[in-house]
Amino acid sequence: MTAAPAVLNTDQDFPHHQELVEERLVLWYFIAALTFMVVSMLAGILMGLQLIRHNPLPAVELLSPGRWRMVHTNAIAYGFLANAFLGIMHWVVPRLTLRPCFSRSLSYAIFAAWQLVVLATAVGILLGQAQGVEWGETPVWIDPVALFGLLLVAINFGTPILQTRGPMYVTLWYYLAALVWTFLTYAMGNFVPEYFVCGSSAGAVGGLFIHDLVGLFVTPLGWGMMYYFVPILLKRPMWSHGLSLVGFWGLAFFYPLQGIHHFLYTPIPMFLQYGAVLSTIALEMVVVTVIINFLGTLHGTGGLALTNLPLRYFYTGILFYFLTCLQCALQVTMTFQALIHFTDWVVGHAHMVMFGVFSMWQFGAMTYLIPRIFKTDWYSPQWCEWHYWASAGGLSVMAGDLILAGLFQGWSWAALQPWDASIRLSIPFWSVRIVAGLAMFGAQILFIVNFYLTWRKSLRVGPERAVSPSGNSATA
Amino acid sequence: MTDEPAAYRTHWLTWLFATLVLVPTILGFANKFLDLVLVVQGDEDGAFAVTPIVNYLLATAGFLCLFVWTATQGAFQNLDEPSHSMMENEHRLDQQT
Ligand code: HEM
């Protein structure tokens, strides 16, 4: 529990990577994440097939599309994104703080418990026990267990972070805040509408919850890892650490008020809706600071973002982040909202954020870390390239297709055409979504096979050589 | 370790963006908060809006305290220092393996 200065001077004092990072656990988290990604994508494909009237499992109540949709979103949020972030944190936090996590056995216990929570959520949803809160469908009886799990996660990672002395690196700020925010957001979203308030009031809290889940759980963990991986891959510090702190504090102050921008034109009072609009505009400025900073860091070494695959993932994610924020700037105006509300524009936006930004970043981190941990190059760097192109390409088609579909649906409703007409015009778009989804799905299967064969290769050949920390082992 | 132009750039960029973000938001928020007070005083139904606002205010108050505390700890004195020490530590960790 003794304090450590930010840089330890003598080599004897300096901890070893092996003492700090529990590499096996990082891999287990990645395996769990990819497993849930497969489950979620299968559920997405089933739901997508239902929308084009080709439900392959008709008349099976347990497998009805409404339930699959919830499995799709929950498995992605809590199964894929959360697991991948936890795995990445097990690498990043100890290396940044130069201290291991609070307890090794607690780390493994959390891993096992979290998988049980996600599995129980999926089973509960399929059995029809979903809680009536968007993104909080986890059955009511699992909520306290999940919350307890989040508390343990906060203790496990919070301890080394709080023990660091001196000014903290921005990643640690993001991580520390995410640990507290996720716990509070989860409690607010699952308990307040369930037990304390109802009607529009519960709706307003629900709005805060769904947005805060993206902004206070996924976003800080995502940017936190980016501020770590990008400089070390580029071998140069962030362009401006001060600017990155503006981004952090901006998020802290403005994000929590934004949730209601999901519920524009609802019975929630207009001043609250306008409040959400205003803080969204303020946050757009914050986003600009973050993007300038990452572009500034890349300045002069732009070619690396093309040739180094993990970096390409990271900067592709930044590009999609910029695009989603641009969409937000439009979406948050009442005029535009009137057109796209309830349309597939929003679904396109959701896929672009969750897959195009955060999943891409996580794939970048996995592509970089897996060979480092196995101490051998990827079994097939070529397949890594395919994984990238099919994921990024599939997502671009899917998001573009749904965004367009949303505009047509909005115009159809604005022209007061019958509901059926908007369904008919949507079918071609929904069919394209399935094709794009299959490409994305195929990419993940290829990645998983590559992961498995890289593991087999590492057993066969033993540690080949120290894999370059530059992340080039994935470059074909 | 920090070169002069980088420190200067950090300094003015930080202040510029901080102002750009803060001024409109504080104005907007104060204005809307006034609206809320008026609604709560005049219309009982509007009182439900207190839940999300109180949530926000509590969160923000917490962050404000944290922000002030951080500033008093000197975390904003040499803004680029953590970035450099992080790179140095990473380098040393990588050299061991
Ligand atoms: C195989 C690929 C995928 C297919 C076919 C697919 C399909 C779908 C479908 C049909 C919906 C329901 C839309 C509706 O209710 O109208 C949906 C919702 C959603 N999906 Fe996917 N999806 C896929 C992959 C993903 C991935 C990888 C992510 C995240 C990383 C994701 C995140 C979401 C989210 C967040 C929603 C909720 C959108 C909203 O409520 O606005 N999906 N998806």
Side-chain angles (χ1 to χ4, degrees), chain A residues 6-9 11 15-17 95-96 173 181 188 228 236 239-241 246 249 253-254 269 271 282 285 289 372, chain B residues 9-10 13-14 17 21 25 28 36 48 51 55-56 63 67 70 79-80 83 85-87 89-90 92 94 96:
Chain A
V7 181
L8 293 168
N9 288 322
D11 279 338
H16 274 259
H17 168 81
R95 281 180 72 106
L96 277 182
W173 274 116
W181 281 335
M188 173 191 75
Y228 170 81
R236 45 159 72 172
W239 189 59
S240 163
H241 188 253
V246 173
W249 289 103
F253 285 113
F254 305 127
F271 71 87
M285 300 284 185
T289 66
R372 276 201 71 171
Chain B
R9 186 177 60 215
T10 296
L13 270 176
T14 308
F17 276 105
V21 173
T25 323
L36 168 75
F48 82 76
T51 322
N55 267 342
Y56 174 73
F63 275 105
F67 185 70
T70 316
L79 285 173
D80 281 321
S83 201
S85 50
M86 172 280 211
M87 292 300 288
N89 287 341
E90 273 296 314
R92 289 174 77 175
D94 280 343
Q96 299 166 347

Short mmCIF file of all heavy atoms in Angstrom, two decimals, chain A residues 6-9 11 15-17 95-96 173 181 188 228 236 239-241 246 249 253-254 269 271 282 285 289 372, chain B residues 9-10 13-14 17 21 25 28 36 48 51 55-56 63 67 70 79-80 83 85-87 89-90 92 94 96:
data_model
loop_
_atom_site.label_atom_id
_atom_site.label_comp_id
_atom_site.label_asym_id
_atom_site.label_seq_id
_atom_site.Cartn_x
_atom_site.Cartn_y
_atom_site.Cartn_z
N ALA A 6 5.57 8.56 -10.03
CA ALA A 6 5.13 8.25 -11.39
C ALA A 6 6.21 7.50 -12.17
O ALA A 6 5.94 6.59 -12.92
CB ALA A 6 4.75 9.53 -12.11
N VAL A 7 7.49 7.86 -11.99
CA VAL A 7 8.56 7.12 -12.66
C VAL A 7 9.51 6.63 -11.59
O VAL A 7 10.00 7.40 -10.77
CB VAL A 7 9.35 8.04 -13.63
CG1 VAL A 7 10.44 7.23 -14.33
CG2 VAL A 7 8.43 8.66 -14.64
N LEU A 8 9.73 5.31 -11.55
CA LEU A 8 10.66 4.76 -10.57
C LEU A 8 12.07 4.80 -11.18
O LEU A 8 12.26 4.43 -12.33
CB LEU A 8 10.27 3.32 -10.25
CG LEU A 8 8.93 3.17 -9.51
CD1 LEU A 8 8.50 1.73 -9.49
CD2 LEU A 8 9.04 3.70 -8.11
N ASN A 9 13.03 5.24 -10.35
CA ASN A 9 14.31 5.52 -10.96
C ASN A 9 15.26 4.33 -11.02
O ASN A 9 15.91 4.09 -12.01
CB ASN A 9 14.97 6.71 -10.28
CG ASN A 9 14.22 7.97 -10.66
OD1 ASN A 9 13.79 8.10 -11.80
ND2 ASN A 9 13.99 8.85 -9.71
N ASP A 11 16.52 0.42 -11.29
CA ASP A 11 16.01 -0.76 -11.96
C ASP A 11 15.50 -1.80 -10.97
O ASP A 11 14.60 -2.56 -11.28
CB ASP A 11 17.09 -1.36 -12.87
CG ASP A 11 17.14 -0.59 -14.19
OD1 ASP A 11 16.12 0.05 -14.51
OD2 ASP A 11 18.18 -0.62 -14.84
N PRO A 15 9.04 -2.62 -11.31
CA PRO A 15 8.38 -3.94 -11.36
C PRO A 15 8.50 -4.58 -12.73
O PRO A 15 8.71 -3.89 -13.72
CB PRO A 15 6.92 -3.59 -11.06
CG PRO A 15 6.78 -2.16 -11.39
CD PRO A 15 8.11 -1.52 -11.25
N HIS A 16 8.33 -5.91 -12.77
CA HIS A 16 8.38 -6.62 -14.05
C HIS A 16 6.97 -6.79 -14.60
O HIS A 16 6.02 -6.95 -13.84
CB HIS A 16 9.03 -7.99 -13.86
CG HIS A 16 10.50 -7.91 -13.96
ND1 HIS A 16 11.19 -8.28 -15.09
CD2 HIS A 16 11.42 -7.45 -13.08
CE1 HIS A 16 12.47 -8.07 -14.89
NE2 HIS A 16 12.64 -7.56 -13.67
N HIS A 17 6.90 -6.77 -15.92
CA HIS A 17 5.60 -6.92 -16.57
C HIS A 17 4.86 -8.16 -16.06
O HIS A 17 3.68 -8.14 -15.78
CB HIS A 17 5.82 -7.00 -18.09
CG HIS A 17 4.61 -7.43 -18.85
ND1 HIS A 17 3.59 -6.58 -19.18
CD2 HIS A 17 4.24 -8.66 -19.31
CE1 HIS A 17 2.65 -7.24 -19.82
NE2 HIS A 17 3.02 -8.50 -19.93
N ARG A 95 0.02 -1.73 -15.99
CA ARG A 95 1.20 -1.16 -16.64
C ARG A 95 1.28 0.35 -16.42
O ARG A 95 2.36 0.92 -16.34
CB ARG A 95 1.20 -1.49 -18.14
CG ARG A 95 1.67 -2.92 -18.42
CD ARG A 95 1.67 -3.22 -19.89
NE ARG A 95 2.73 -2.56 -20.62
CZ ARG A 95 3.83 -3.15 -21.09
NH1 ARG A 95 4.03 -4.43 -20.87
NH2 ARG A 95 4.72 -2.47 -21.78
N LEU A 96 0.14 1.01 -16.33
CA LEU A 96 0.18 2.46 -16.12
C LEU A 96 0.46 2.83 -14.67
O LEU A 96 1.10 3.83 -14.39
CB LEU A 96 -1.15 3.08 -16.54
CG LEU A 96 -1.35 3.38 -18.03
CD1 LEU A 96 -2.70 4.03 -18.25
CD2 LEU A 96 -0.26 4.30 -18.55
N TRP A 173 -7.65 8.72 -15.39
CA TRP A 173 -8.81 9.56 -15.07
C TRP A 173 -10.07 8.94 -15.66
O TRP A 173 -11.10 8.81 -14.99
CB TRP A 173 -8.65 10.97 -15.64
CG TRP A 173 -7.89 11.89 -14.75
CD1 TRP A 173 -6.69 12.48 -15.01
CD2 TRP A 173 -8.28 12.34 -13.44
NE1 TRP A 173 -6.30 13.25 -13.95
CE2 TRP A 173 -7.25 13.19 -12.97
CE3 TRP A 173 -9.37 12.09 -12.62
CZ2 TRP A 173 -7.32 13.80 -11.72
CZ3 TRP A 173 -9.43 12.68 -11.37
CH2 TRP A 173 -8.42 13.53 -10.94
N TRP A 181 -18.88 5.78 -12.43
CA TRP A 181 -20.07 6.09 -13.23
C TRP A 181 -20.88 4.84 -13.57
O TRP A 181 -22.09 4.85 -13.50
CB TRP A 181 -19.64 6.73 -14.55
CG TRP A 181 -19.29 8.17 -14.45
CD1 TRP A 181 -19.72 9.04 -13.51
CD2 TRP A 181 -18.42 8.90 -15.32
NE1 TRP A 181 -19.18 10.29 -13.75
CE2 TRP A 181 -18.39 10.22 -14.85
CE3 TRP A 181 -17.68 8.57 -16.45
CZ2 TRP A 181 -17.65 11.22 -15.47
CZ3 TRP A 181 -16.95 9.56 -17.07
CH2 TRP A 181 -16.92 10.86 -16.58
N MET A 188 -28.93 3.63 -11.00
CA MET A 188 -29.99 4.58 -11.32
C MET A 188 -30.97 3.98 -12.34
O MET A 188 -32.18 3.96 -12.13
CB MET A 188 -29.38 5.86 -11.91
CG MET A 188 -30.43 6.83 -12.42
SD MET A 188 -29.68 8.15 -13.39
CE MET A 188 -29.28 7.35 -14.91
N TYR A 228 -4.04 5.29 -24.20
CA TYR A 228 -2.91 4.43 -23.86
C TYR A 228 -2.27 3.83 -25.11
O TYR A 228 -1.06 3.95 -25.34
CB TYR A 228 -3.38 3.32 -22.91
CG TYR A 228 -2.34 2.25 -22.69
CD1 TYR A 228 -1.29 2.44 -21.79
CD2 TYR A 228 -2.39 1.05 -23.40
CE1 TYR A 228 -0.32 1.46 -21.61
CE2 TYR A 228 -1.42 0.07 -23.22
CZ TYR A 228 -0.39 0.28 -22.31
OH TYR A 228 0.57 -0.68 -22.14
N ARG A 236 5.18 8.09 -29.53
CA ARG A 236 5.30 9.52 -29.18
C ARG A 236 4.14 9.89 -28.25
O ARG A 236 3.06 9.31 -28.36
CB ARG A 236 5.25 10.39 -30.44
CG ARG A 236 4.14 9.97 -31.40
CD ARG A 236 3.75 11.05 -32.35
NE ARG A 236 4.76 11.31 -33.35
CZ ARG A 236 4.56 12.11 -34.38
NH1 ARG A 236 3.40 12.72 -34.52
NH2 ARG A 236 5.49 12.31 -35.27
N TRP A 239 -0.34 14.57 -28.36
CA TRP A 239 -0.03 15.91 -28.83
C TRP A 239 -0.15 16.92 -27.70
O TRP A 239 0.71 17.76 -27.49
CB TRP A 239 -1.01 16.24 -29.97
CG TRP A 239 -0.72 17.49 -30.70
CD1 TRP A 239 0.42 17.80 -31.38
CD2 TRP A 239 -1.61 18.60 -30.88
NE1 TRP A 239 0.30 19.03 -31.97
CE2 TRP A 239 -0.94 19.54 -31.68
CE3 TRP A 239 -2.89 18.87 -30.45
CZ2 TRP A 239 -1.53 20.74 -32.05
CZ3 TRP A 239 -3.49 20.07 -30.82
CH2 TRP A 239 -2.79 21.00 -31.61
N SER A 240 -1.26 16.84 -26.95
CA SER A 240 -1.42 17.73 -25.80
C SER A 240 -2.18 17.00 -24.70
O SER A 240 -3.37 16.71 -24.84
CB SER A 240 -2.18 18.99 -26.22
OG SER A 240 -2.68 19.64 -25.07
N HIS A 241 -1.46 16.73 -23.63
CA HIS A 241 -2.12 16.03 -22.51
C HIS A 241 -3.15 16.95 -21.85
O HIS A 241 -4.19 16.50 -21.38
CB HIS A 241 -1.05 15.57 -21.51
CG HIS A 241 -1.59 14.70 -20.42
ND1 HIS A 241 -1.75 15.13 -19.13
CD2 HIS A 241 -2.05 13.43 -20.44
CE1 HIS A 241 -2.26 14.16 -18.40
NE2 HIS A 241 -2.45 13.11 -19.17
N VAL A 246 -9.15 18.41 -20.88
CA VAL A 246 -10.37 19.19 -21.18
C VAL A 246 -11.46 18.22 -21.64
O VAL A 246 -12.61 18.29 -21.24
CB VAL A 246 -10.11 20.24 -22.30
CG1 VAL A 246 -11.40 20.91 -22.72
CG2 VAL A 246 -9.11 21.28 -21.83
N TRP A 249 -12.83 16.29 -18.52
CA TRP A 249 -13.70 17.05 -17.61
C TRP A 249 -14.97 17.51 -18.34
O TRP A 249 -16.04 17.62 -17.75
CB TRP A 249 -12.95 18.23 -16.99
CG TRP A 249 -11.94 17.75 -15.99
CD1 TRP A 249 -10.60 17.65 -16.17
CD2 TRP A 249 -12.20 17.24 -14.67
NE1 TRP A 249 -10.00 17.13 -15.04
CE2 TRP A 249 -10.95 16.86 -14.11
CE3 TRP A 249 -13.36 17.04 -13.91
CZ2 TRP A 249 -10.84 16.31 -12.84
CZ3 TRP A 249 -13.22 16.51 -12.63
CH2 TRP A 249 -11.99 16.15 -12.11
N PHE A 253 -18.81 16.77 -17.01
CA PHE A 253 -19.82 17.76 -16.66
C PHE A 253 -21.03 17.75 -17.59
O PHE A 253 -22.14 18.04 -17.17
CB PHE A 253 -19.21 19.16 -16.61
CG PHE A 253 -18.36 19.37 -15.38
CD1 PHE A 253 -17.00 19.54 -15.47
CD2 PHE A 253 -18.95 19.36 -14.12
CE1 PHE A 253 -16.22 19.70 -14.33
CE2 PHE A 253 -18.19 19.51 -12.98
CZ PHE A 253 -16.82 19.68 -13.08
N PHE A 254 -20.82 17.45 -18.88
CA PHE A 254 -21.94 17.64 -19.82
C PHE A 254 -22.66 16.37 -20.21
O PHE A 254 -23.78 16.41 -20.65
CB PHE A 254 -21.46 18.37 -21.07
CG PHE A 254 -20.80 19.66 -20.71
CD1 PHE A 254 -19.54 19.98 -21.17
CD2 PHE A 254 -21.44 20.54 -19.85
CE1 PHE A 254 -18.93 21.15 -20.79
CE2 PHE A 254 -20.83 21.71 -19.47
CZ PHE A 254 -19.56 22.02 -19.93
N PRO A 269 -41.09 17.83 -20.11
CA PRO A 269 -41.17 19.27 -20.35
C PRO A 269 -40.07 19.77 -21.30
O PRO A 269 -38.95 19.27 -21.28
CB PRO A 269 -40.96 19.88 -18.96
CG PRO A 269 -41.29 18.81 -18.02
CD PRO A 269 -41.02 17.51 -18.69
N PHE A 271 -38.27 22.40 -21.36
CA PHE A 271 -37.03 22.99 -20.87
C PHE A 271 -35.99 21.90 -20.60
O PHE A 271 -34.80 22.10 -20.76
CB PHE A 271 -37.25 23.87 -19.63
CG PHE A 271 -37.61 23.11 -18.40
CD1 PHE A 271 -36.62 22.62 -17.57
CD2 PHE A 271 -38.93 22.90 -18.06
CE1 PHE A 271 -36.93 21.93 -16.43
CE2 PHE A 271 -39.26 22.21 -16.92
CZ PHE A 271 -38.27 21.71 -16.11
N ALA A 282 -22.64 21.45 -26.32
CA ALA A 282 -21.38 21.67 -25.59
C ALA A 282 -20.48 20.46 -25.76
O ALA A 282 -19.26 20.59 -25.93
CB ALA A 282 -21.67 21.91 -24.11
N MET A 285 -18.31 20.24 -28.81
CA MET A 285 -17.04 20.97 -28.70
C MET A 285 -15.98 20.09 -28.05
O MET A 285 -14.82 20.07 -28.45
CB MET A 285 -17.20 22.22 -27.81
CG MET A 285 -18.20 23.19 -28.32
SD MET A 285 -17.48 24.07 -29.70
CE MET A 285 -18.75 25.24 -30.03
N THR A 289 -12.20 18.67 -29.39
CA THR A 289 -10.88 18.72 -28.72
C THR A 289 -10.21 17.35 -28.79
O THR A 289 -9.01 17.24 -29.03
CB THR A 289 -10.98 19.13 -27.23
OG1 THR A 289 -11.68 18.10 -26.53
CG2 THR A 289 -11.66 20.43 -27.03
N ARG A 372 1.28 -10.55 -28.70
CA ARG A 372 2.24 -10.21 -27.64
C ARG A 372 2.13 -11.21 -26.49
O ARG A 372 3.12 -11.61 -25.91
CB ARG A 372 1.96 -8.80 -27.10
CG ARG A 372 2.58 -7.72 -27.94
CD ARG A 372 2.74 -6.43 -27.18
NE ARG A 372 3.79 -6.50 -26.17
CZ ARG A 372 4.23 -5.46 -25.49
NH1 ARG A 372 3.72 -4.27 -25.71
NH2 ARG A 372 5.16 -5.59 -24.59
N ARG B 9 1.48 25.62 -26.44
CA ARG B 9 0.31 25.21 -27.21
C ARG B 9 -0.74 24.60 -26.28
O ARG B 9 -1.91 24.94 -26.30
CB ARG B 9 0.75 24.18 -28.24
CG ARG B 9 -0.31 23.77 -29.21
CD ARG B 9 0.24 22.81 -30.21
NE ARG B 9 0.76 21.60 -29.58
CZ ARG B 9 1.81 20.93 -30.01
NH1 ARG B 9 2.47 21.33 -31.06
NH2 ARG B 9 2.20 19.83 -29.39
N THR B 10 -0.25 23.72 -25.40
CA THR B 10 -1.15 23.08 -24.45
C THR B 10 -1.88 24.14 -23.65
O THR B 10 -3.09 24.08 -23.45
CB THR B 10 -0.35 22.18 -23.48
OG1 THR B 10 0.23 21.16 -24.26
CG2 THR B 10 -1.24 21.59 -22.42
N LEU B 13 -4.41 26.26 -25.92
CA LEU B 13 -5.50 25.41 -26.43
C LEU B 13 -6.45 25.00 -25.31
O LEU B 13 -7.66 24.99 -25.45
CB LEU B 13 -4.93 24.15 -27.07
CG LEU B 13 -4.61 24.24 -28.55
CD1 LEU B 13 -3.95 22.97 -29.04
CD2 LEU B 13 -5.91 24.47 -29.34
N THR B 14 -5.84 24.67 -24.18
CA THR B 14 -6.66 24.24 -23.04
C THR B 14 -7.62 25.35 -22.63
O THR B 14 -8.82 25.13 -22.46
CB THR B 14 -5.74 23.87 -21.85
OG1 THR B 14 -4.77 22.96 -22.32
CG2 THR B 14 -6.53 23.25 -20.72
N PHE B 17 -10.41 26.05 -25.47
CA PHE B 17 -11.51 25.10 -25.53
C PHE B 17 -12.32 25.09 -24.25
O PHE B 17 -13.53 24.91 -24.27
CB PHE B 17 -10.99 23.70 -25.87
CG PHE B 17 -10.82 23.52 -27.35
CD1 PHE B 17 -9.57 23.52 -27.93
CD2 PHE B 17 -11.93 23.38 -28.17
CE1 PHE B 17 -9.41 23.38 -29.29
CE2 PHE B 17 -11.78 23.24 -29.53
CZ PHE B 17 -10.52 23.24 -30.10
N VAL B 21 -16.31 25.76 -24.39
CA VAL B 21 -17.27 24.79 -23.90
C VAL B 21 -18.07 25.36 -22.73
O VAL B 21 -19.28 25.22 -22.65
CB VAL B 21 -16.54 23.49 -23.48
CG1 VAL B 21 -17.50 22.53 -22.80
CG2 VAL B 21 -15.91 22.82 -24.69
N THR B 25 -22.48 26.74 -22.18
CA THR B 25 -23.19 25.73 -21.39
C THR B 25 -23.65 26.29 -20.07
O THR B 25 -24.77 26.03 -19.63
CB THR B 25 -22.27 24.52 -21.13
OG1 THR B 25 -21.51 24.31 -22.28
CG2 THR B 25 -23.07 23.30 -20.80
N GLY B 28 -26.61 28.47 -20.83
CA GLY B 28 -27.78 27.65 -21.18
C GLY B 28 -28.33 26.93 -19.98
O GLY B 28 -29.53 26.93 -19.73
N LEU B 36 -36.86 25.65 -14.72
CA LEU B 36 -37.30 24.55 -13.84
C LEU B 36 -37.90 25.11 -12.56
O LEU B 36 -38.98 24.71 -12.12
CB LEU B 36 -36.11 23.65 -13.50
CG LEU B 36 -36.41 22.66 -12.37
CD1 LEU B 36 -37.28 21.52 -12.84
CD2 LEU B 36 -35.14 22.12 -11.76
N PHE B 48 -42.07 16.66 -11.35
CA PHE B 48 -41.38 15.38 -11.56
C PHE B 48 -40.03 15.56 -12.22
O PHE B 48 -39.15 14.73 -12.10
CB PHE B 48 -42.26 14.41 -12.36
CG PHE B 48 -42.20 14.62 -13.85
CD1 PHE B 48 -41.10 14.19 -14.59
CD2 PHE B 48 -43.24 15.23 -14.51
CE1 PHE B 48 -41.04 14.39 -15.96
CE2 PHE B 48 -43.18 15.42 -15.88
CZ PHE B 48 -42.08 15.01 -16.59
N THR B 51 -36.45 14.87 -10.60
CA THR B 51 -35.63 13.65 -10.51
C THR B 51 -34.39 13.71 -11.40
O THR B 51 -33.28 13.62 -10.88
CB THR B 51 -36.47 12.39 -10.86
OG1 THR B 51 -37.76 12.56 -10.35
CG2 THR B 51 -35.80 11.13 -10.39
N ASN B 55 -30.51 14.33 -10.06
CA ASN B 55 -29.47 13.36 -10.42
C ASN B 55 -28.27 14.07 -10.99
O ASN B 55 -27.13 13.83 -10.61
CB ASN B 55 -29.99 12.43 -11.54
CG ASN B 55 -30.58 11.19 -10.96
OD1 ASN B 55 -30.35 10.85 -9.82
ND2 ASN B 55 -31.39 10.51 -11.76
N TYR B 56 -28.55 14.96 -11.94
CA TYR B 56 -27.47 15.65 -12.64
C TYR B 56 -26.70 16.55 -11.68
O TYR B 56 -25.47 16.57 -11.67
CB TYR B 56 -28.03 16.48 -13.80
CG TYR B 56 -26.97 17.33 -14.45
CD1 TYR B 56 -26.00 16.74 -15.24
CD2 TYR B 56 -26.92 18.70 -14.25
CE1 TYR B 56 -24.99 17.50 -15.82
CE2 TYR B 56 -25.92 19.46 -14.81
CZ TYR B 56 -24.96 18.86 -15.60
OH TYR B 56 -23.97 19.61 -16.15
N PHE B 63 -18.41 16.04 -9.11
CA PHE B 63 -17.29 16.30 -10.02
C PHE B 63 -16.62 17.63 -9.76
O PHE B 63 -15.41 17.76 -9.90
CB PHE B 63 -17.72 16.18 -11.47
CG PHE B 63 -17.65 14.76 -11.90
CD1 PHE B 63 -18.78 14.01 -12.05
CD2 PHE B 63 -16.42 14.16 -12.08
CE1 PHE B 63 -18.70 12.68 -12.39
CE2 PHE B 63 -16.33 12.83 -12.42
CZ PHE B 63 -17.48 12.08 -12.57
N PHE B 67 -12.83 18.07 -9.03
CA PHE B 67 -12.06 18.96 -9.90
C PHE B 67 -11.25 19.94 -9.06
O PHE B 67 -10.05 20.12 -9.26
CB PHE B 67 -13.04 19.70 -10.83
CG PHE B 67 -12.37 20.56 -11.85
CD1 PHE B 67 -11.67 19.99 -12.90
CD2 PHE B 67 -12.44 21.93 -11.77
CE1 PHE B 67 -11.05 20.77 -13.85
CE2 PHE B 67 -11.82 22.73 -12.71
CZ PHE B 67 -11.13 22.14 -13.77
N THR B 70 -8.51 18.15 -7.25
CA THR B 70 -7.42 17.82 -8.18
C THR B 70 -6.55 19.03 -8.44
O THR B 70 -5.32 18.94 -8.47
CB THR B 70 -8.01 17.33 -9.52
OG1 THR B 70 -9.06 16.44 -9.25
CG2 THR B 70 -6.98 16.63 -10.37
N LEU B 79 1.13 20.12 -17.26
CA LEU B 79 0.10 19.28 -17.87
C LEU B 79 0.65 18.12 -18.71
O LEU B 79 0.00 17.10 -18.85
CB LEU B 79 -0.82 20.16 -18.73
CG LEU B 79 -1.80 21.01 -17.95
CD1 LEU B 79 -2.54 21.95 -18.88
CD2 LEU B 79 -2.79 20.15 -17.20
N ASP B 80 1.83 18.27 -19.28
CA ASP B 80 2.32 17.21 -20.16
C ASP B 80 3.19 16.18 -19.44
O ASP B 80 3.56 15.17 -20.04
CB ASP B 80 3.09 17.82 -21.35
CG ASP B 80 2.13 18.34 -22.40
OD1 ASP B 80 1.12 17.67 -22.64
OD2 ASP B 80 2.38 19.43 -22.96
N SER B 83 2.16 12.44 -19.39
CA SER B 83 2.28 11.83 -20.69
C SER B 83 3.70 11.33 -20.94
O SER B 83 3.91 10.23 -21.45
CB SER B 83 1.92 12.91 -21.71
OG SER B 83 1.56 12.36 -22.91
N SER B 85 6.04 10.66 -18.54
CA SER B 85 6.45 9.58 -17.63
C SER B 85 5.79 8.26 -18.04
O SER B 85 6.37 7.19 -17.91
CB SER B 85 6.16 9.92 -16.17
OG SER B 85 4.85 10.34 -16.03
N MET B 86 4.58 8.35 -18.60
CA MET B 86 3.92 7.13 -19.07
C MET B 86 4.74 6.48 -20.18
O MET B 86 4.99 5.28 -20.19
CB MET B 86 2.51 7.51 -19.54
CG MET B 86 1.71 6.46 -20.24
SD MET B 86 2.14 6.26 -21.96
CE MET B 86 0.66 5.77 -22.72
N MET B 87 5.22 7.31 -21.13
CA MET B 87 6.01 6.77 -22.25
C MET B 87 7.31 6.12 -21.73
O MET B 87 7.72 5.07 -22.19
CB MET B 87 6.36 7.88 -23.25
CG MET B 87 5.20 8.46 -24.00
SD MET B 87 4.30 7.28 -25.00
CE MET B 87 5.44 6.98 -26.33
N ASN B 89 7.88 4.86 -18.71
CA ASN B 89 7.60 3.60 -18.01
C ASN B 89 7.32 2.48 -19.00
O ASN B 89 7.77 1.35 -18.82
CB ASN B 89 6.37 3.76 -17.10
CG ASN B 89 6.71 4.59 -15.88
OD1 ASN B 89 7.88 4.74 -15.53
ND2 ASN B 89 5.70 5.14 -15.23
N GLU B 90 6.56 2.78 -20.04
CA GLU B 90 6.25 1.76 -21.05
C GLU B 90 7.53 1.25 -21.69
O GLU B 90 7.70 0.05 -21.90
CB GLU B 90 5.37 2.39 -22.15
CG GLU B 90 3.90 2.35 -21.86
CD GLU B 90 3.35 0.94 -21.77
OE1 GLU B 90 3.66 0.12 -22.64
OE2 GLU B 90 2.61 0.66 -20.81
N ARG B 92 10.50 1.18 -20.45
CA ARG B 92 11.27 0.34 -19.52
C ARG B 92 10.62 -1.04 -19.36
O ARG B 92 11.31 -2.05 -19.29
CB ARG B 92 11.38 1.03 -18.16
CG ARG B 92 12.30 2.23 -18.23
CD ARG B 92 12.31 3.00 -16.96
NE ARG B 92 13.12 2.36 -15.93
CZ ARG B 92 13.35 2.91 -14.74
NH1 ARG B 92 12.85 4.08 -14.45
NH2 ARG B 92 14.08 2.29 -13.85
N ASP B 94 8.87 -2.59 -21.61
CA ASP B 94 9.07 -3.34 -22.86
C ASP B 94 10.50 -3.86 -22.97
O ASP B 94 10.73 -4.92 -23.55
CB ASP B 94 8.76 -2.46 -24.08
CG ASP B 94 7.27 -2.38 -24.31
OD1 ASP B 94 6.54 -3.23 -23.77
OD2 ASP B 94 6.83 -1.45 -25.03
N GLN B 96 12.29 -5.04 -20.69
CA GLN B 96 12.52 -6.23 -19.86
C GLN B 96 12.17 -7.50 -20.63
O GLN B 96 12.72 -8.55 -20.37
CB GLN B 96 11.62 -6.21 -18.63
CG GLN B 96 11.82 -5.07 -17.72
CD GLN B 96 10.65 -4.97 -16.74
OE1 GLN B 96 9.62 -5.59 -16.92
NE2 GLN B 96 10.83 -4.18 -15.72
#
